Amino acid sequence: MASSRVLNFGAGPSALPASVLEKAAEGLLNFNGTGIGIAEISHRSKEFTAFVANLEFLIRTQLDVPPTHAILFTQGGGSAQFSATVLNLLARHRLLHPHLSDDERVMDYVVTGSWSEKAAEEAKRMGGSRVNVAVDSRKYSKDGKSFDNIPPHTEYAFSPDPALIYYCENETVDGVEFSHKDADATSFPYHLLDKGALLPLVADYSSSFMCRPIPHLSDHAVIFAGAQKNIGPAGLTILIVRQDCIVDVDAAAQLGATPIPLTMSYKTLFDSKSLYNTPSVLPIYIAGLVLEHLAELGGLKYYEQTNRKKAEKVYEAVRKGEEKAVLQRKVQDGAGSWMNVVFSVLGDGAEQRFIEGAEKEDMKGLKGHRSVGGIRVSLYNAITEADTDKLIGYIEKFVLAESNTTS
């Protein structure tokens, strides 16, 4: 079944392990011995509710999620959470500070790429409080307009008591990611935040969830991630929400907060064990199979080591291509993503030759996002080190051919 598959380096929906897909295909006909396919079975059945509970367990144990945080499952992807986090955390802030006016409520946004820019725009569109851009990385880019870096810690300007502080850990479009080492200049500046309070810190982990441990996880109020990068197909969104952020949104509305649709309320999801309405049954099933597969391989420790190796190999191949004036990195040193390596191919028609040549060798999904162009290599968990080595062999061959042509 898997022999005719190509290598999918696309940014999402992305590659999934072939063994998982084969098992999922069996489940489409017969889920866990029920005689009913997973796409047909009731989400209230004991078999499916047990599967959801196990999915939560797998995430909690592998990410070491503390009991202070709930794990919830919803729909709408990261984009829906651009709105939901605003509504839920503004409701929390209203309950904590009922006498503040809307102008006195502030939401902080760290803008380091296309997705965090969209999140900030959505917060502004929704209104109800002020949006403070704590830092915008374009100011520190090589051309003054690109997202190609993580700004210096000294440049962040956080508000004294914001309703939320948002950042995107990995920018899928721009290939920019925060370092996970606190000592690095490109890490997220946790040390600048008020450690004497329950931080309203919101992190978008959509394109890097379950690829390695999450630093300072317990300091976060909300972590959200679409499943369609590392752990499943599109249609499932995973939330890790601190208990104090699961608030009575109706009580907040009575105090003047914006009413929240029930399906976007974290309290609704929590009280119903993520089953208020029919969830994305098939994506939940496949995500569970992926996480079981991940555990069998050694969990996040295994993937952290493997993903580091894959990224280092690709960045080294791009560096060598730069020496030959064939390739050019788009991201400044220290800010490159492990999951999405972006670069340009220099010369007239060279980018198209690169893509066509890769496709002839059964490697697809390498074209950069339409908004920025170039090449994007997505190295999600299902891409093995052997897959990466095949791509690197192609890059090296391409660079050699191009350099010989231009010399």
Side-chain angles (χ1 to χ4, degrees):
M1 183 184 294
S3 60
S4 62
R5 287 169 59 81
V6 302
L7 294 183
N8 176 15
F9 291 98
S14 59
L16 290 168
S19 61
V20 167
L21 293 175
E22 289 168 356
K23 189 171 182 180
E26 296 174 5
L28 280 171
L29 293 174
N30 186 350
F31 168 62
N32 285 10
T34 61
I36 302 174
I38 181 61
E40 307 164 294
I41 200 164
S42 168
H43 62 290
R44 306 288 183 191
S45 66
K46 64 180 181 180
E47 293 86 359
F48 184 75
T49 54
F51 192 90
V52 173
N54 187 57
L55 174 59
E56 177 185 341
F57 172 79
L58 289 168
I59 294 172
R60 187 175 295 279
T61 53
Q62 293 184 37
L63 272 178
D64 196 20
V65 178
T68 51
H69 290 63
I71 297 172
L72 308 173
F73 305 111
T74 187
Q75 303 171 47
S79 295
Q81 291 307 307
F82 293 166
S83 310
T85 53
V86 168
L87 292 170
N88 282 274
L89 291 191
L90 280 179
R92 172 184 181 269
H93 201 258
R94 178 77 61 167
L95 292 169
L96 290 173
H97 307 286
H99 302 299
L100 290 181
S101 67
D102 287 343
D103 287 342
E104 293 175 298
R105 298 185 200 280
V106 182
M107 298 182 288
D108 284 355
Y109 279 77
V110 173
V111 178
T112 54
S114 300
W115 289 113
S116 49
E117 181 185 26
K118 287 180 183 295
E121 289 173 350
E122 175 65 356
K124 293 175 183 176
R125 190 189 70 81
M126 295 179 70
S129 67
R130 292 188 291 115
V131 172
N132 168 51
V133 176
V135 73
D136 188 324
S137 69
R138 286 171 291 194
K139 180 179 177 182
Y140 311 95
S141 66
K142 293 178 180 178
D143 60 8
K145 61 182 181 181
S146 300
F147 292 117
D148 68 359
N149 69 96
I150 296 294
H153 290 170
T154 54
E155 300 305 306
Y156 291 75
F158 293 111
S159 304
D161 184 20
L164 66 85
I165 306 163
Y166 167 96
Y167 74 99
C168 182
E169 191 269 348
N170 180 75
E171 291 282 1
T172 324
V173 171
D174 306 282
V176 174
E177 185 172 27
F178 286 93
S179 169
H180 280 205
K181 296 180 180 179
D182 285 346
D184 288 353
T186 53
S187 65
F188 186 84
Y190 299 101
H191 63 285
L192 298 180
L193 304 177
D194 181 8
K195 291 302 178 68
L198 287 172
L199 295 171
L201 186 60
V202 175
D204 180 349
Y205 263 78
S206 287
S207 55
S208 54
F209 192 69
M210 299 304 292
C211 81
R212 55 176 168 169
I214 296 176
H216 299 271
L217 188 151
S218 61
D219 288 334
H220 290 75
V222 180
I223 294 169
F224 64 83
Q228 68 273 15
K229 309 295 184 179
N230 278 312
I231 66 169
L236 168 66
T237 307
I238 298 161
L239 304 171
I240 300 175
V241 184
R242 201 173 59 223
Q243 301 276 359
D244 65 281
C245 299
I246 301 172
V247 301
D248 187 335
V249 298
D250 291 334
Q254 290 176 3
L255 294 173
T258 302
I260 302 178
L262 283 175
T263 55
M264 298 185 76
S265 163
Y266 294 158
K267 190 174 189 303
T268 300
L269 292 172
F270 178 76
D271 289 346
S272 64
K273 300 184 186 302
S274 300
L275 298 174
Y276 176 75
N277 62 336
T278 307
S280 300
V281 175
L282 182 59
I284 286 174
Y285 176 57
I286 296 178
L289 297 182
V290 169
L291 287 173
E292 290 173 359
H293 176 73
L294 188 155
E296 292 169 358
L297 291 175
L300 288 187
K301 183 177 181 181
Y302 166 82
Y303 273 112
E304 181 175 28
Q305 294 172 346
T306 303
N307 287 327
R308 178 187 291 112
K309 288 179 184 177
K310 293 187 305 187
E312 288 175 349
K313 286 182 176 183
V314 176
Y315 280 114
E316 177 62 13
V318 175
R319 186 192 65 78
K320 291 179 179 178
E322 283 189 305
E323 292 177 351
K324 299 291 187 179
V326 175
L327 307 180
Q328 185 175 58
R329 290 174 296 172
K330 288 191 170 188
V331 177
Q332 295 182 32
D333 289 342
S337 166
W338 282 21
M339 294 286 97
N340 311 103
V341 180
V342 296
F343 56 92
S344 299
V345 185
L346 305 178
D348 291 340
E351 179 182 307
Q352 190 60 32
R353 289 195 296 275
F354 182 93
I355 293 170
E356 290 175 355
E359 290 186 349
K360 288 178 181 178
E361 298 194 20
D362 290 334
M363 292 179 284
K364 295 186 177 182
L366 291 165
K367 189 173 180 62
H369 191 272
R370 61 187 180 278
S371 64
V372 295
I375 302 298
R376 175 171 53 175
V377 179
S378 294
L379 300 170
Y380 299 125
N381 286 354
I383 297 296
T384 66
E385 199 168 351
D387 297 337
T388 307
D389 289 342
K390 180 178 178 180
L391 174 66
I392 289 168
Y394 169 71
I395 292 174
E396 291 174 344
K397 182 174 67 174
F398 179 86
V399 167
L400 179 61
E402 290 288 310
S403 58
N404 288 339
T405 299
T406 56
S407 61

